[in-house]
Amino acid sequence: MGGCAGSRRRLLDSEGEETAPEPRPRLLDRQGALWKNAMGFWLLGLCNNFSYVVMLSAAHDILSHQRASGNQSHVDPDPAPTTHNSSSRFDCNSVSTAAVLLADILPTLVIKLLAPLGLHLLPYSPRVLVSGICSAGSFILVAFSHSVGTSLCGVVLASISSGLGEVTFLSLTAFYPSYFFLLTSPEPQDPGGEEEAETSARQPLINSEAPEAKPDSSSNLSLQERWNVFKGLLWYIVPLVLVYFAEYFINQGLFELLFFRNTSLTHAQQYRWYQMLYQAGVFVSRSSLRCCRIRFTWVLALLQCFNLAFLLVDVWLSFLPSIYLVFLIILYEGLLGGAAYVNTFHNIALETSDEHREFAMAAACISDTLGISLSGLLALPLHDFLCRLS
């Protein structure tokens, strides 16, 4: 009897071992998946902004487009200093670089205005494919263009690529909420707990599979719900609009007019350095969320508006003695702009509910585009006015 009882216990133990649930993924595995997703979003953002930034940085060269012999497009990296407007101390192009800005931002504005209404119905994969094709096409068109008009068509393609990509990738972060927590805390703190972490591990971003749909996604929101969510976002949208209005008014309205003759750099080289330093500041601050989180982004908006006022006065009075002081101000400007962008979307991701997050991220990305568009529209008449000054 004792032997039978012992055999029965061993049989039950073996059955229990066979039916025991598999252990959950180790914390290390989940951390690896989160870091992989974070790197994926970092690369997506880098690639998405590439064509947009290159077109703005080359705005001065595009507008002073020169034709080399042999009917080939040519931009001299070290052109001889020329004066486009001898009656002005600003050495102006006939058209402001804000024209390139508008070509690079208005298509994006249209995409972002329409995105919250129905873009979510289109799967992510076709959106990314179209964005990539437009980005490649923009470089090809500008590289082989023979006129400013053709080059501006290439800039429009870059704008379509950047706008579609930005709204797509920001919406995609709604399926990976742990991405934002990974950037801001030493340990992965998951808003959805271990279950969401395991979901992220099953569907890594760097993969050919589409993310698993959530039961409460933005496609189920009514128009009234969307409007209520949008009203709640105004606290974040308005400061970001001001930040981008101020910084792009500086970039495309004042950069060309901040011309120093007491330096070895030509006008085109000075413009490229301004753009490079600005983008360097943006790159550093957008990658610094883990080190510094700013909740009250309106402070950044005030500081950026002060930068605009200061540089506008300098354009009028020319009181800064050295271009290197302008270099420092522009680097600081980029740091403010990048910090405002990344902290705005980080705060939105943390403070919106799961069912509203995808729509909120897509709707809030109109902020920077609206500010940039307004700055471009105002920079054009300002350029013409200042360039008429003797």
Side-chain angles (χ1 to χ4, degrees):
M1 293 291 293
C4 292
S7 300
R8 191 179 298 109
R9 279 196 300 271
R10 285 194 297 271
L11 180 59
L12 292 175
D13 290 342
S14 62
E15 290 177 353
E17 291 176 0
E18 292 176 359
T19 58
E22 296 181 1
R24 293 187 172 185
R26 294 176 299 176
L27 179 60
L28 185 61
D29 293 337
R30 293 200 296 269
Q31 283 182 304
L34 297 182
W35 277 110
K36 187 177 181 181
N37 292 339
M39 182 57 66
F41 277 112
W42 187 85
L43 290 174
L44 289 174
L46 184 67
C47 295
N48 186 66
N49 281 350
F50 186 74
S51 59
Y52 170 81
V53 168
V54 167
M55 297 306 169
L56 289 184
S57 300
H60 190 275
D61 295 314
I62 289 174
L63 293 176
S64 57
H65 187 82
Q66 297 181 12
R67 291 279 301 278
S69 59
N71 197 33
Q72 299 211 353
S73 181
H74 173 71
V75 175
D76 189 351
D78 295 301
T82 58
T83 303
H84 300 281
N85 188 345
S86 57
S87 65
S88 171
R89 59 188 171 90
F90 297 116
D91 187 27
C92 299
N93 278 313
S94 58
V95 180
S96 169
T97 52
V100 176
L101 175 64
L102 289 176
D104 207 12
I105 203 62
L106 290 181
T108 296
L109 178 63
V110 173
I111 290 173
K112 290 184 177 181
L113 285 174
L114 298 177
L117 302 178
L119 188 62
H120 59 276
L121 300 176
L122 185 66
Y124 283 100
S125 297
R127 289 194 245 170
V128 175
L129 179 62
V130 171
S131 177
I133 291 173
C134 289
S135 179
S138 69
F139 286 109
I140 295 172
L141 198 57
V142 172
F144 293 98
S145 68
H146 296 161
S147 67
V148 172
T150 306
S151 296
L152 290 179
C153 291
V155 174
V156 169
L157 282 180
S159 177
I160 295 173
S161 169
S162 176
L164 182 60
E166 183 180 8
V167 71
T168 296
F169 299 139
L170 283 174
S171 299
L172 190 60
T173 60
F175 296 92
Y176 302 87
S178 54
Y179 162 69
F180 287 96
F181 285 85
L182 179 63
L183 293 180
T184 55
S185 57
E187 298 295 333
Q189 299 175 1
D190 234 338
E194 293 185 2
E195 180 179 354
E196 191 278 332
E198 291 176 9
T199 302
S200 294
R202 290 198 306 270
Q203 51 174 40
L205 179 64
I206 305 179
N207 198 345
S208 59
E209 298 179 0
E212 294 178 7
K214 293 184 176 183
D216 296 324
S217 64
S218 63
S219 59
N220 300 323
L221 299 179
S222 66
L223 289 177
Q224 183 62 41
E225 288 177 307
R226 291 169 187 268
W227 174 243
N228 291 336
V229 172
F230 182 79
K231 288 192 295 184
L233 295 175
L234 291 177
W235 172 255
Y236 304 106
I237 289 177
V238 173
L240 194 59
V241 169
L242 291 175
V243 167
Y244 271 83
F245 170 81
E247 69 185 64
Y248 274 86
F249 195 95
I250 295 171
N251 292 3
Q252 306 306 128
L254 303 184
F255 275 7
E256 186 184 7
L257 307 177
L258 290 168
F259 176 46
F260 288 82
R261 299 179 186 273
N262 60 344
T263 178
S264 60
L265 297 174
T266 66
H267 195 179
Q269 289 172 334
Q270 291 179 38
Y271 183 86
R272 295 186 204 122
W273 271 105
Y274 293 155
Q275 290 286 355
M276 190 281 293
L277 289 170
Y278 164 75
Q279 296 297 342
V282 170
F283 178 81
V284 171
S285 57
R286 284 197 183 188
S287 305
S288 65
L289 191 58
R290 186 177 176 86
C291 305
C292 179
R293 181 190 171 191
I294 302 172
R295 176 174 174 77
F296 300 105
T297 53
W298 56 267
V299 176
L300 302 175
L302 293 177
L303 292 174
Q304 198 70 288
C305 290
F306 176 78
N307 278 346
L308 169 59
F310 182 82
L311 290 176
L312 185 59
V313 172
D314 177 66
V315 167
W316 186 268
L317 301 177
S318 298
F319 60 85
L320 289 178
S322 172
I323 191 174
Y324 296 103
L325 294 176
V326 177
F327 283 170
L328 290 176
I329 294 172
I330 290 173
L331 181 64
Y332 170 64
E333 174 209 345
L335 290 172
L336 290 179
Y341 184 92
V342 72
N343 281 281
T344 294
F345 285 102
H346 174 250
N347 292 334
I348 291 173
L350 296 186
E351 298 179 18
T352 53
S353 60
D354 290 344
E355 64 269 22
H356 295 157
R357 187 174 293 121
E358 184 182 9
F359 169 77
M361 299 296 276
C365 71
I366 192 65
S367 310
D368 58 332
T369 307
L370 181 59
I372 295 170
S373 301
L374 292 175
S375 68
L377 291 173
L378 291 180
L380 282 172
L382 175 72
H383 171 273
D384 293 340
F385 170 74
L386 291 176
C387 286
R388 291 193 189 101
L389 295 178
S390 57

